[in-house]
């Protein structure tokens, strides 16, 4: 996406969780921060070109912030015209994320002065995703005698319905 598009800001949106889990020692927020920083660095983004946000909060208790929807409105009101959003915590797009991020938050951005809002899809059933599973499977097959791990990976590949690459795995 970034090879052909230049948003003013790229948002890395991870699914939120209640703050009480982080307070109890859950490393999730730190893992999200490290992941976003690593992806941004690998993508050649400077610190002012990306932000980390959290989506899908519910209930009354505080959830991880900054909140995606509030950040998107703030960016539009600050004059940011082009925003792109990616959800790197998801392997495939789910209806909740598409509804919230690609539809509702896009509308929030446009309604508050933004001009272009791109939701970058997950890997879904792409060839790259299939190849990743294939490589994981081959590595696990070589490194592990634990049949349970191999079975789990084989089920993931099968669940992704990528028959061409699955056949290659069986041959390998």
């Amino acid at each position: 996406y970034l090879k052909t598009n230049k948003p003013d800001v790229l948002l890395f949106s991870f699914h939120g969780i209640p703050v009480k889990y982080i307070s109890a020692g859950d490393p999730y927020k730190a893992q999200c921060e490290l992941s976003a920083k690593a992806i941004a660095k690998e993508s050649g983004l400077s610190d002012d070109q990306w932000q980390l946000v959290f989506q899908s909060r519910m209930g009354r208790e505080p959830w991880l912030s900054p909140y995606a929807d509030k950040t998107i409105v703030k960016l539009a009101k600050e004059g940011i015209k082009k925003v792109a959003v990616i959800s790197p915590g998801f392997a495939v797009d789910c209806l909740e994320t598409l509804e919230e991020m690609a539809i509702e938050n896009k509308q929030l951005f446009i309604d508050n002065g933004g001009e272009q809002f791109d939701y970058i899809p997950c890997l879904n059933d792409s060839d790259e995703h299939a190849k990743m599973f294939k490589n994981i499977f081959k590595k696990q097959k070589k490194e592990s005698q634990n049949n349970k791990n191999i079975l789990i990976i084989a089920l993931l590949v099968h669940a992704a319905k990528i028959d061409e690459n699955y056949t290659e795995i069986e041959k390998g």
Side-chain angles (χ1 to χ4, degrees):
Y1 173 87
L2 292 175
K3 291 179 183 176
T4 58
N5 298 283
K6 298 293 178 207
D8 298 326
V9 177
L10 175 63
L11 296 177
F12 291 96
S13 184
F14 290 86
H15 201 288
I17 61 172
V19 171
K20 69 181 179 183
Y21 296 132
I22 304 306
S23 299
D26 191 312
Y28 178 74
K29 184 175 183 183
Q31 292 168 337
C32 293
E33 291 168 346
L34 288 172
S35 295
K37 285 178 186 175
I39 296 167
K41 182 179 179 183
E42 184 68 26
S43 300
L45 297 173
S46 62
D47 288 345
D48 65 330
Q49 293 177 301
W50 68 275
Q51 292 183 32
L52 171 72
V53 296
F54 294 94
Q55 66 194 58
S56 304
R57 67 188 185 279
M58 62 185 85
R60 294 181 186 187
E61 64 185 295
W63 281 52
L64 290 179
S65 62
Y67 300 134
D69 57 348
K70 295 188 182 308
T71 300
I72 286 165
V73 168
K74 181 179 175 234
L75 289 171
K77 287 183 176 183
E78 289 174 350
I80 299 297
K81 298 299 180 190
K82 293 190 262 180
V83 166
V85 177
I86 189 165
S87 298
F90 293 96
V92 296
D93 291 308
C94 66
L95 292 178
E96 175 191 353
T97 299
L98 291 173
E99 174 73 20
E100 180 180 0
M101 299 308 296
I103 298 171
E104 293 173 5
N105 284 337
K106 178 178 184 174
Q107 194 62 53
L108 281 173
F109 186 68
I110 300 301
D111 289 349
N112 286 280
E115 294 176 2
Q116 182 179 337
F117 183 99
D118 294 329
Y119 177 77
I120 303 168
C122 296
L123 293 173
N124 296 315
D125 64 349
S126 67
D127 289 341
E128 292 86 4
H129 203 195
K131 288 174 187 170
M132 178 193 69
F133 279 121
K134 176 181 168 183
N135 291 337
I136 291 170
F137 180 81
K138 282 184 173 183
K139 182 179 178 185
Q140 284 293 318
K141 188 175 176 183
K142 287 179 185 175
E143 294 179 4
S144 176
Q145 298 302 315
N146 185 341
N147 290 333
K148 188 187 292 184
N149 287 345
I150 292 171
L151 176 61
I152 290 169
I153 292 170
L155 288 171
L156 288 171
V157 171
H158 181 70
K161 296 180 183 176
I162 305 166
D163 295 331
E164 176 184 320
N165 287 305
Y166 186 73
T167 302
E168 288 180 30
I169 291 169
E170 285 180 330
K171 290 178 187 174

